[in-house]
Amino acid sequence: MPIRSENRDRYPPDWPEVSAAIRKRAGNVCEGCGVANGALGGRDGSGRWWKARPKGESMARLDWPEPGEHWWCDLDGREPLLLRIVRIVLTVAHLDHTPENCDPANLRCWCQRCHNLYDAATRRAGIQDRERKRAALGDLFAGGAGG
Ligand SMILES: [Zn+2]
């Protein structure tokens, strides 16, 4: 995920070095799914990664599908599946969403999908937490109203 402009000042001055160290720790592959930075391919319904293959050759050069294009993947001989081509761009994420917390244990080198899955789970947990608090407040008032 790109750094939001309103959060830019919250990153330490050595963030480029910190981020590079985390990418190096990860071997420049996603720490969630293992896909390499810069890889070109698509994901099936289960999230499995399929590396793109050249569409053909022109002027003695391989012709690769472009990100955003749809591509028929034969899934190792199974029924062909239409996948949307993406280019993997690894980013370094803060597990606690706090840019100031650059403890390596708080940082993960992730692809777009793994980062989004984590953020969605965090958002769901936040919603559930707020709903639990609201329900607890409701119980409190319901209990008090009867007296
Ligand atoms: Zn991933």
Side-chain angles (χ1 to χ4, degrees), residues 13 36 50 64 66 106 129:
W50 296 91
W64 291 90
E66 293 289 323
N106 187 46
D129 191 45

Side-chain angles (χ1 to χ4, degrees), residues 22-23 25-26 29-32 90-92 107-111:
I22 298 302
R23 289 163 196 270
R25 172 184 82 186
V29 301
C30 175
E31 291 181 304
L90 297 180
T91 56
V92 176
L107 300 174
R108 291 291 182 280
C109 180
W110 276 335
C111 72

Side-chain angles (χ1 to χ4, degrees), residues 4 8 10 16 20-21 23 27 41 54 65 77 103 118 121 127 133-134 145:
R4 290 181 182 192
R8 201 168 293 278
R10 297 179 59 194
R23 289 163 196 270
D103 183 324
Y118 179 80
I127 289 167
K133 283 177 181 156
R134 198 174 303 127

Side-chain angles (χ1 to χ4, degrees), residues 30 32-33 43 111 114:
C30 175
C33 66
R43 296 198 189 264
C111 72
C114 291

